[in-house]
Amino acid sequence: MTPTAPQVRPATAADLEPIAALHTAARAAYLRARVPDAPFDAPAEHARCRDTWDRVLHREDAPTLCAVRHDAVVGAASYLPHATDPARPAVTLHQLHVDPAHWGTGVGRALHAACLHAWRAAGHSRAVLDVLWHNHRARTFYARLGWCPDPDRRPAPDATHLALTLALAPPPQAPAAS
């Protein structure tokens, strides 16, 4: 059975707990593959994620979206629409997380598509993000969506992150009425 498409909407303060929970679960799932015995889903990790998302949800300069399926928040994304390099203005995808129970069901793609729509509507010419080097699932997800290693941003000195970029073509124009 095909899951229903998620609804993507602006996140609110009421979404804080489910976003923190799904972020904690997603982080634990992808980090556990690297360090199997680490307590990535411990209460302290949830509290850290909650504090991070509390700050994000209260930032006026960081639009935040959530994906909802059957009245449950199953994914979240946040971005910073300011220029990181004045010569090459870009929007920064700061967070994109999906509840592991919903991986592979279109939630990440729906959030990504909503971000693309907002970025193009705002006139951004490119997007950037950092992904954990060893998070092969995320790297594959972004590669399928057209993200490439950013030639202008070298990997972190400790090689924990990979900088990716995506050129944002303007949205397709509707054909002119004849």
Side-chain angles (χ1 to χ4, degrees):
M1 174 173 16
T2 304
T4 60
Q7 172 197 7
V8 177
R9 61 165 172 77
T12 68
D15 300 315
L16 175 59
E17 286 301 328
I19 290 173
L22 74 86
H23 182 174
T24 303
R27 189 170 184 275
Y30 66 73
L31 290 175
R32 192 164 285 119
R34 184 172 168 90
V35 185
D37 298 327
F40 293 112
D41 49 2
E45 286 299 308
H46 177 77
R48 190 187 63 73
C49 284
R50 186 187 186 289
D51 289 346
T52 297
W53 280 101
D54 189 41
R55 286 190 303 275
V56 169
L57 288 170
H58 287 93
R59 286 183 69 160
E60 290 184 20
D61 67 337
T64 303
L65 305 171
C66 65
V68 178
R69 184 178 276 152
H70 305 294
D71 297 323
V73 176
V74 295
S78 184
Y79 57 91
L80 300 168
H82 55 77
T84 55
D85 175 358
R88 297 184 67 200
V91 59
T92 301
L93 180 58
H94 178 62
Q95 304 272 357
L96 193 153
H97 302 282
V98 174
D99 182 326
H102 294 267
W103 283 355
T105 67
V107 173
R109 284 184 179 271
L111 283 165
H112 188 265
C115 288
L116 287 177
H117 178 77
W119 300 341
R120 288 177 176 140
H124 294 289
S125 61
R126 73 184 190 105
V128 295
L129 66 83
D130 287 331
V131 64
L132 287 171
W133 183 265
H134 64 273
N135 189 346
H136 297 289
R137 180 181 195 88
R139 288 175 55 190
T140 300
F141 170 78
Y142 291 119
R144 284 184 183 143
L145 295 170
W147 292 78
C148 301
D150 190 338
D152 297 332
R153 296 171 59 216
R154 293 261 190 239
D158 58 1
T160 60
H161 290 82
L162 176 64
L164 301 178
T165 189
L166 178 68
L168 300 173
Q173 298 294 323
S178 47

